[in-house]
Amino acid sequence: MRTTGRLTLALLTSTALLLTACSSNDRPDERSPAASGSDSPSPAPDAPALEPLPEEIPGELQAYYEQELNWTSCGATGFQCATLTVPLDYENADESGDIQLTVTRARATDADGRIGALLMNPGGPGASAVDFAQDSANYLFPPEVRAQYDMVGLDARGTGRSEPVECLSGEEMDDYTLTDRTPDSDAEVEELLAAFDEFAAGCQERSGSLLSHISTIESARDMDILRAVLGDEQLHYVGFSYGTKLGAVYAGLFPQRAGRLVLDAAMDPRLPTLNTDREQAGGFETAFRSFAEDCTSRQDCPLGTGDADSASGALLDFFTAVDAEPVPTGDAERPLTESLAATGVSFALYAEDLWPMLRQALTAAIDEGDGAAMLDLADMYNEREPDGTYGTTMFAFPAISCLDSPAGNSDPDAVRSALDSYEEASPTFGRDFAWATLLCAAWPVEPTGTPISIAAAGAPDILVIGTTRDPATPYAWAQGLAEQLDSGVLLTYDGDGHGAYGGASSCVDSAVNDYLLENVSPEENTTC
């Protein structure tokens, strides 16, 4: 078993997870070098084009672009922090008030050879870029990149340390995560809807007007202010998962100011929520089957020694048993329910390095009646700390997603009508994904965004990376993003896990580092 890769370490450290909609992605299609053999996603529907903003900075925004940051030492050794001021509402900047965003940086170690600032975003939406930069930059990027770039993390509005969205207390979140997400009766459907209503109402009560102004487009505009304040003519950027959408939107709004952009584990912004939810379920199915093939080749596999199909059946039997009778965890208030078990399994599919933990957790739960290890995996996914508090990602994730795009399903009847298509995409996770879409249907703020097509005409080469068996962002999405960008260059990693750079492939790492350092793109359709 290989040791933990740099990106895996970064993801675990920063809990950089998920991506769009209000659930959790798809499988490679027939163009993939490692297609699973399942049906490919449907072609992306037509979506309106994202139009670039005028190159000239509007007068009402000049003061934001000309502000000076007060840097102080903070966090990890060598990092500084500052507060960036941006308008709450870009369409009403004079009267809407301001938001304070936290930014961190570590200066380039070779000042004479400095190329510029390298912004990074770990995804989510909602994961902290400040934590990601401070905890992971030295592991993720090699010394040559750190020598020529300032390592910069900006917590997007509504996340991390940047006036984060708040929704529920720790105790309320414990109850929320216990809710059955695969209801088997009308009563359980009503319980799920009530939980979604309570969550949404809590966000509105605790976060107020902020909920209407944390869209991806607004965060991309914040990044352009930071670019100017840092003194760079172009924005250089590395984004993972949802961070690829943020980077692509930036390029679409400001193609003339786009620099070297790396978009790893890419999203396709053209897809409506129904497509992304259903295809993401298929992505987790593909990742589970890859895990299952490895697991069933071992004599101690808790899902048997058959094949991926039998392992899927065994896992579904486990979910059914846990649904009927939760497994003790050592915490009487938090037994292992079906929803927590599914969350723990999903988390472990993000990286091959987590497969041994998943085997051990399943063995303990299935064979020994001990759900503690599986609960630990779920807690890592949910950013639950030992003291019972939760990180901000679980709140910011739906808040940003539900604002960016309308809900995929509007009510329980719509979910029931769509269940067959979800279960066809993912027999193991489809029902969970389908019902989870109703959180956005309960959201208290109307969406301001829609699916969009991004060309970024005039931008230099944009490097898009897709992993063929990525659980959370299907490989087909990377293909879709690269083809819609006028200057998109697709780099394929034929392998497992969520994100490729900084992982197991020296081929991917070399291509990205050459692009960042030498501004040299890999040949089109390179596969590592």
Side-chain angles (χ1 to χ4, degrees), residues 195-482:
F196 286 158
D197 286 342
E198 180 182 355
F199 186 98
C203 296
Q204 185 174 41
E205 178 181 349
R206 291 173 170 88
S207 302
S209 61
L210 178 66
L211 286 184
S212 298
H213 295 288
I214 52 173
S215 69
T216 299
I217 285 179
E218 288 164 311
S219 290
R221 298 188 70 170
D222 296 341
M223 286 166 48
D224 195 56
I225 290 178
L226 179 59
R227 171 204 58 78
V229 170
L230 294 176
D232 289 345
E233 293 185 2
Q234 292 182 309
L235 180 105
H236 307 297
Y237 177 85
V238 176
F240 301 94
S241 194
Y242 163 80
T244 67
K245 179 180 179 180
L246 180 59
V249 167
Y250 179 88
L253 294 175
F254 306 103
Q256 72 283 0
R257 297 201 275 272
R260 303 173 196 180
L261 306 184
V262 179
L263 309 180
D264 188 2
M267 292 177 57
D268 186 340
R270 299 172 299 183
L271 298 176
T273 303
L274 182 63
N275 294 54
T276 58
D277 289 343
R278 190 165 50 206
E279 292 176 13
Q280 192 175 56
F284 276 91
E285 187 71 28
T286 296
F288 171 73
R289 294 183 71 84
S290 188
F291 161 77
E293 289 170 1
D294 175 80
C295 183
T296 55
S297 69
R298 304 168 186 269
Q299 290 300 315
D300 61 347
C301 178
L303 301 178
T305 56
D307 56 17
D309 288 336
S310 64
S312 177
L315 183 63
L316 286 173
D317 289 343
F318 168 61
F319 287 163
T320 299
V322 173
D323 188 30
E325 185 175 354
V327 176
T329 63
D331 183 341
E333 301 298 321
R334 303 181 67 231
L336 183 70
T337 62
E338 180 186 11
S339 293
L340 286 170
T343 298
V345 172
S346 297
F347 174 73
L349 297 178
Y350 273 88
E352 188 178 350
D353 298 314
L354 298 174
W355 291 1
M357 293 176 63
L358 178 56
R359 288 197 305 271
Q360 294 165 11
L362 285 171
T363 297
I366 294 173
D367 297 340
E368 303 166 17
D370 181 358
M374 187 64 74
L375 181 62
D376 286 344
L377 288 173
D379 284 349
M380 283 187 255
Y381 184 95
N382 289 329
E383 288 190 342
R384 187 187 190 275
E385 299 295 335
D387 64 2
T389 60
Y390 284 76
T392 62
T393 303
M394 296 305 293
F395 306 140
F397 175 80
I400 295 170
S401 300
C402 297
L403 190 63
D404 270 357
S405 187
N409 294 299
S410 58
D411 55 43
D413 286 341
V415 173
R416 293 186 182 101
S417 296
L419 273 177
D420 284 349
S421 67
Y422 277 88
E423 292 188 289
E424 181 180 357
S426 174
T428 312
F429 304 104
R431 285 175 55 82
D432 193 330
F433 277 74
W435 285 104
T437 61
L438 292 182
L439 176 54
C440 279
W443 206 246
V445 175
E446 290 295 320
T448 59
T450 61
I452 51 175
S453 177
I454 302 175
D461 282 357
I462 297 173
L463 184 56
V464 178
I465 307 174
T467 297
T468 56
R469 294 182 296 279
D470 189 317
T473 49
Y475 175 68
W477 292 2
Q479 292 174 302
L481 179 59

